[in-house]
Amino acid sequence: SNTTYYLRKDGNDDNDGLSEEFAFATWDRMHKELRTIDGAGYFLVINLGAGIWENRFDFDGRECIGFIGIQLEGQGDSTVIAQVNNHGIFIGHSSVYVFIRNLKISGAKFAIYSQLGGEVNINGPITITGVERCIFAYFGGFVHLSNGATLTIADNPSCTLVIGTHYGAFFETAAGTSVVLTGTNAGTQFARVQWNAQINIQPGTTLSGTFTGKKYTVSHGGLLGLNGITLPGTVAGTSVAPGFVG
Protein backbone atom coordinates (compact mmCIF):
# COMPACT_ATOMS: atom_id res chain seq x y z
CA SER A 1 0.00 0.00 0.00
CA ASN A 2 1.01 3.68 -0.20
CA THR A 3 3.43 4.26 2.68
CA THR A 4 5.26 7.08 4.47
CA TYR A 5 8.66 6.53 6.05
CA TYR A 6 10.23 9.01 8.49
CA LEU A 7 13.86 9.96 9.02
CA ARG A 8 14.78 12.01 12.07
CA LYS A 9 18.10 12.99 13.60
CA ASP A 10 16.94 11.52 16.91
CA GLY A 11 15.58 8.36 15.27
CA ASN A 12 16.91 4.83 15.56
CA ASP A 13 17.78 2.46 12.73
CA ASP A 14 16.34 -0.42 14.72
CA ASN A 15 12.88 1.19 14.34
CA ASP A 16 10.44 0.36 11.53
CA GLY A 17 10.52 3.96 10.21
CA LEU A 18 6.73 4.12 9.81
CA SER A 19 6.02 6.98 12.22
CA GLU A 20 7.75 10.02 13.67
CA GLU A 21 7.94 8.23 17.00
CA PHE A 22 9.69 5.24 15.43
CA ALA A 23 11.66 7.02 12.72
CA PHE A 24 14.88 5.80 11.12
CA ALA A 25 18.02 7.75 11.97
CA THR A 26 19.99 7.49 8.70
CA TRP A 27 19.57 7.57 4.95
CA ASP A 28 21.65 4.38 4.72
CA ARG A 29 18.93 2.56 6.67
CA MET A 30 16.19 4.05 4.48
CA HIS A 31 18.10 3.16 1.34
CA LYS A 32 18.42 -0.42 2.55
CA GLU A 33 14.66 -0.49 3.09
CA LEU A 34 14.05 0.80 -0.44
CA ARG A 35 15.95 -2.15 -1.85
CA THR A 36 13.69 -4.62 -0.04
CA ILE A 37 10.26 -3.10 -0.84
CA ASP A 38 8.18 -4.40 -3.74
CA GLY A 39 6.64 -1.12 -4.91
CA ALA A 40 4.00 -2.90 -7.02
CA GLY A 41 2.41 0.31 -8.31
CA TYR A 42 2.41 2.16 -4.98
CA PHE A 43 3.47 5.71 -4.07
CA LEU A 44 6.10 6.06 -1.35
CA VAL A 45 6.73 9.19 0.77
CA ILE A 46 10.01 9.75 2.59
CA ASN A 47 9.59 12.48 5.21
CA LEU A 48 12.99 13.90 6.08
CA GLY A 49 13.36 15.78 9.36
CA ALA A 50 15.21 18.99 10.15
CA GLY A 51 18.99 18.91 10.38
CA ILE A 52 22.03 18.49 8.15
CA TRP A 53 22.07 15.23 6.20
CA GLU A 54 25.55 14.53 4.83
CA ASN A 55 24.48 11.93 2.31
CA ARG A 56 24.07 11.40 -1.39
CA PHE A 57 20.36 10.64 -1.70
CA ASP A 58 20.51 7.93 -4.33
CA PHE A 59 17.44 6.55 -6.13
CA ASP A 60 18.32 3.79 -8.59
CA GLY A 61 15.59 2.18 -10.69
CA ARG A 62 17.36 -1.16 -10.48
CA GLU A 63 16.75 -1.06 -6.72
CA CYS A 64 13.50 0.96 -6.37
CA ILE A 65 11.21 -1.55 -8.05
CA GLY A 66 7.66 -0.91 -9.20
CA PHE A 67 6.83 2.40 -7.51
CA ILE A 68 4.50 4.86 -9.24
CA GLY A 69 6.59 7.55 -7.59
CA ILE A 70 8.70 8.42 -4.56
CA GLN A 71 8.20 11.75 -2.77
CA LEU A 72 11.18 13.07 -0.82
CA GLU A 73 10.00 15.93 1.37
CA GLY A 74 11.65 17.95 4.10
CA GLN A 75 10.63 20.61 6.59
CA GLY A 76 11.79 23.60 4.53
CA ASP A 77 15.23 25.22 4.68
CA SER A 78 15.83 23.55 8.06
CA THR A 79 16.25 20.25 6.17
CA VAL A 80 19.66 20.46 4.50
CA ILE A 81 21.22 17.89 2.20
CA ALA A 82 24.93 18.71 2.39
CA GLN A 83 27.06 16.41 0.26
CA VAL A 84 30.36 18.11 -0.52
CA ASN A 85 32.02 17.22 -3.85
CA ASN A 86 29.32 14.73 -4.82
CA HIS A 87 25.66 14.57 -5.86
CA GLY A 88 23.02 15.89 -3.48
CA ILE A 89 20.13 13.97 -5.04
CA PHE A 90 20.93 11.35 -7.68
CA ILE A 91 18.28 9.62 -9.78
CA GLY A 92 19.09 7.09 -12.46
CA HIS A 93 18.08 4.03 -14.44
CA SER A 94 14.81 2.45 -15.46
CA SER A 95 12.23 5.22 -15.11
CA VAL A 96 12.49 6.12 -11.45
CA TYR A 97 10.03 8.96 -10.71
CA VAL A 98 11.17 11.00 -7.72
CA PHE A 99 9.37 14.11 -6.46
CA ILE A 100 11.19 16.55 -4.18
CA ARG A 101 10.05 19.54 -2.12
CA ASN A 102 10.73 21.55 1.05
CA LEU A 103 14.50 20.99 1.05
CA LYS A 104 17.76 22.89 0.90
CA ILE A 105 20.72 21.38 -0.99
CA SER A 106 24.11 22.80 -0.08
CA GLY A 107 27.74 22.33 -1.05
CA ALA A 108 27.28 19.58 -3.62
CA LYS A 109 29.14 19.30 -6.91
CA PHE A 110 25.77 18.46 -8.50
CA ALA A 111 22.69 19.47 -6.48
CA ILE A 112 20.23 17.43 -8.57
CA TYR A 113 21.51 14.85 -11.08
CA SER A 114 19.27 12.70 -13.27
CA GLN A 115 20.32 10.18 -15.91
CA LEU A 116 19.38 7.05 -17.87
CA GLY A 117 15.59 7.27 -17.61
CA GLY A 118 15.45 8.76 -14.12
CA GLU A 119 12.95 11.58 -13.62
CA VAL A 120 12.95 14.32 -10.98
CA ASN A 121 9.88 16.43 -10.41
CA ILE A 122 10.37 19.51 -8.22
CA ASN A 123 6.83 19.92 -6.88
CA GLY A 124 7.44 22.38 -4.06
CA PRO A 125 10.01 24.86 -2.76
CA ILE A 126 13.67 23.91 -3.14
CA THR A 127 16.70 26.04 -2.24
CA ILE A 128 20.13 25.38 -3.75
CA THR A 129 23.19 27.11 -2.35
CA GLY A 130 26.96 26.87 -2.67
CA VAL A 131 27.07 24.28 -5.48
CA GLU A 132 28.93 23.95 -8.79
CA ARG A 133 26.00 22.71 -10.89
CA CYS A 134 22.43 23.19 -9.73
CA ILE A 135 20.59 20.83 -12.10
CA PHE A 136 22.27 18.28 -14.35
CA ALA A 137 20.22 16.17 -16.78
CA TYR A 138 22.32 13.58 -18.59
CA PHE A 139 21.65 10.90 -21.22
CA GLY A 140 17.90 10.38 -20.91
CA GLY A 141 17.56 12.04 -17.51
CA PHE A 142 14.58 14.34 -16.99
CA VAL A 143 14.09 17.22 -14.53
CA HIS A 144 10.76 19.03 -14.34
CA LEU A 145 9.79 22.12 -12.34
CA SER A 146 6.07 21.63 -11.61
CA ASN A 147 3.30 24.20 -11.69
CA GLY A 148 3.45 26.40 -8.59
CA ALA A 149 6.92 25.27 -7.50
CA THR A 150 9.69 27.74 -6.61
CA LEU A 151 13.38 27.02 -7.13
CA THR A 152 15.58 29.43 -5.16
CA ILE A 153 19.21 29.76 -6.24
CA ALA A 154 21.10 31.45 -3.41
CA ASP A 155 24.79 32.39 -3.29
CA ASN A 156 26.34 30.08 -5.86
CA PRO A 157 29.44 32.12 -6.81
CA SER A 158 30.77 29.66 -9.42
CA CYS A 159 28.03 27.57 -10.96
CA THR A 160 25.82 26.75 -13.92
CA LEU A 161 22.12 26.64 -13.09
CA VAL A 162 20.99 23.96 -15.52
CA ILE A 163 22.84 21.64 -17.87
CA GLY A 164 21.25 19.32 -20.42
CA THR A 165 23.72 17.04 -22.11
CA HIS A 166 23.58 13.95 -24.32
CA TYR A 167 20.70 12.29 -26.06
CA GLY A 168 17.24 12.54 -24.54
CA ALA A 169 18.25 14.62 -21.50
CA PHE A 170 15.55 17.15 -20.74
CA PHE A 171 14.85 20.03 -18.34
CA GLU A 172 11.51 21.82 -18.40
CA THR A 173 9.65 24.40 -16.35
CA ALA A 174 5.85 24.55 -16.22
CA ALA A 175 3.67 27.65 -16.35
CA GLY A 176 3.27 29.13 -12.89
CA THR A 177 6.76 28.15 -11.69
CA SER A 178 9.39 30.54 -10.36
CA VAL A 179 13.19 30.55 -10.42
CA VAL A 180 14.49 33.11 -7.92
CA LEU A 181 18.15 34.10 -7.75
CA THR A 182 19.32 35.74 -4.52
CA GLY A 183 22.74 36.78 -3.27
CA THR A 184 25.76 36.26 -5.52
CA ASN A 185 25.32 33.87 -8.44
CA ALA A 186 27.92 33.66 -11.18
CA GLY A 187 29.50 31.24 -13.63
CA THR A 188 30.52 30.58 -17.21
CA GLN A 189 26.85 30.38 -18.25
CA PHE A 190 23.42 30.29 -16.66
CA ALA A 191 22.29 27.41 -18.91
CA ARG A 192 24.16 24.95 -21.10
CA VAL A 193 22.55 22.49 -23.51
CA GLN A 194 24.38 20.21 -25.92
CA TRP A 195 24.48 16.85 -27.67
CA ASN A 196 20.79 16.69 -28.64
CA ALA A 197 19.53 17.46 -25.14
CA GLN A 198 16.73 19.98 -24.51
CA ILE A 199 15.95 22.79 -22.08
CA ASN A 200 12.44 24.20 -22.35
CA ILE A 201 11.33 27.29 -20.40
CA GLN A 202 7.55 27.36 -20.72
CA PRO A 203 5.49 30.56 -21.01
CA GLY A 204 4.31 31.64 -17.58
CA THR A 205 7.66 30.83 -15.92
CA THR A 206 8.98 33.69 -13.76
CA LEU A 207 12.73 34.27 -13.49
CA SER A 208 14.04 36.95 -11.13
CA GLY A 209 17.39 38.04 -9.76
CA THR A 210 20.81 38.42 -11.34
CA PHE A 211 23.53 36.14 -12.69
CA THR A 212 27.04 37.24 -13.64
CA GLY A 213 28.11 35.39 -16.78
CA LYS A 214 26.76 34.25 -20.12
CA LYS A 215 23.01 33.69 -20.44
CA TYR A 216 23.41 30.37 -22.25
CA THR A 217 25.63 28.16 -24.40
CA VAL A 218 23.99 25.90 -26.99
CA SER A 219 25.96 23.48 -29.18
CA HIS A 220 26.10 20.04 -30.82
CA GLY A 221 22.38 19.80 -31.63
CA GLY A 222 21.15 21.08 -28.28
CA LEU A 223 17.72 22.75 -28.18
CA LEU A 224 16.93 25.70 -25.91
CA GLY A 225 13.27 26.72 -25.91
CA LEU A 226 12.90 30.17 -24.35
CA ASN A 227 9.39 30.98 -25.62
CA GLY A 228 10.04 34.69 -25.39
CA ILE A 229 11.54 34.53 -21.87
CA THR A 230 14.90 36.17 -21.16
CA LEU A 231 17.40 34.22 -19.08
CA PRO A 232 19.46 36.01 -16.43
CA GLY A 233 23.02 36.85 -17.38
CA THR A 234 25.33 39.79 -17.97
CA VAL A 235 26.68 38.46 -21.28
CA ALA A 236 24.66 37.50 -24.36
CA GLY A 237 24.15 33.80 -25.01
CA THR A 238 25.83 31.89 -27.83
CA SER A 239 24.59 29.15 -30.10
CA VAL A 240 26.77 27.06 -32.40
CA ALA A 241 25.08 25.19 -35.29
CA PRO A 242 23.37 22.79 -35.27
CA GLY A 243 22.27 24.01 -31.83
CA PHE A 244 18.94 25.85 -31.79
CA VAL A 245 17.47 28.62 -29.64
CA GLY A 246 13.78 29.44 -30.05
Side-chain angles (χ1 to χ4, degrees):
S1 62
N2 297 339
T3 304
T4 298
Y5 281 89
Y6 296 84
L7 276 74
R8 295 292 185 268
K9 282 296 180 178
D10 61 354
N12 188 315
D13 283 347
D14 290 330
N15 290 337
D16 63 12
L18 294 174
S19 68
E20 289 194 67
E21 183 180 2
F22 295 101
F24 292 146
T26 67
W27 170 249
D28 287 344
R29 177 65 182 86
M30 182 67 243
H31 194 229
K32 180 179 178 181
E33 191 75 9
L34 277 177
R35 296 196 298 268
T36 65
I37 300 171
D38 180 1
Y42 297 123
F43 193 88
L44 180 73
V45 176
I46 300 172
N47 186 287
L48 188 63
I52 298 174
W53 300 86
E54 296 179 332
N55 303 91
R56 167 173 140 162
F57 281 69
D58 195 343
F59 298 89
D60 190 320
R62 296 166 298 184
E63 300 171 344
C64 308
I65 306 299
F67 293 106
I68 295 173
I70 299 173
Q71 174 79 63
L72 178 65
E73 60 183 21
Q75 316 304 313
D77 280 355
S78 64
T79 303
V80 182
I81 295 175
Q83 178 60 294
V84 178
N85 297 323
N86 206 320
H87 309 74
I89 298 174
F90 175 85
I91 294 91
H93 297 98
S94 304
S95 299
V96 185
Y97 299 98
V98 178
F99 300 79
I100 60 173
R101 65 186 178 202
N102 299 329
L103 297 165
K104 177 186 281 187
I105 304 171
S106 175
K109 185 173 183 179
F110 302 93
I112 300 169
Y113 188 114
S114 181
Q115 68 171 21
L116 299 174
E119 180 172 337
V120 187
N121 192 311
I122 300 170
N123 64 340
I126 293 289
T127 298
I128 297 175
T129 184
V131 306
E132 293 182 29
R133 296 168 178 87
C134 294
I135 295 171
F136 194 91
Y138 173 73
F139 227 127
F142 184 96
V143 181
H144 183 75
L145 189 60
S146 292
N147 189 2
T150 298
L151 177 63
T152 300
I153 309 298
D155 290 314
N156 297 274
S158 181
C159 79
T160 296
L161 172 69
V162 58
I163 299 174
T165 184
H166 288 76
Y167 304 91
F170 197 81
F171 171 77
E172 182 176 51
T173 66
T177 59
S178 298
V179 179
V180 179
L181 285 82
T182 65
T184 300
N185 293 282
T188 305
Q189 64 267 305
F190 180 82
R192 189 175 88 210
V193 57
Q194 61 188 15
W195 297 113
N196 298 94
Q198 297 184 45
I199 296 174
N200 189 21
I201 310 298
Q202 291 281 11
T205 301
T206 300
L207 292 95
S208 62
T210 60
F211 179 84
T212 301
K214 193 181 294 186
K215 294 178 184 291
Y216 58 80
T217 301
V218 180
S219 65
H220 298 90
L223 173 62
L224 175 60
L226 293 177
N227 297 297
I229 294 172
T230 301
L231 296 181
T234 54
V235 180
T238 59
S239 178
V240 179
F244 180 79
V245 180

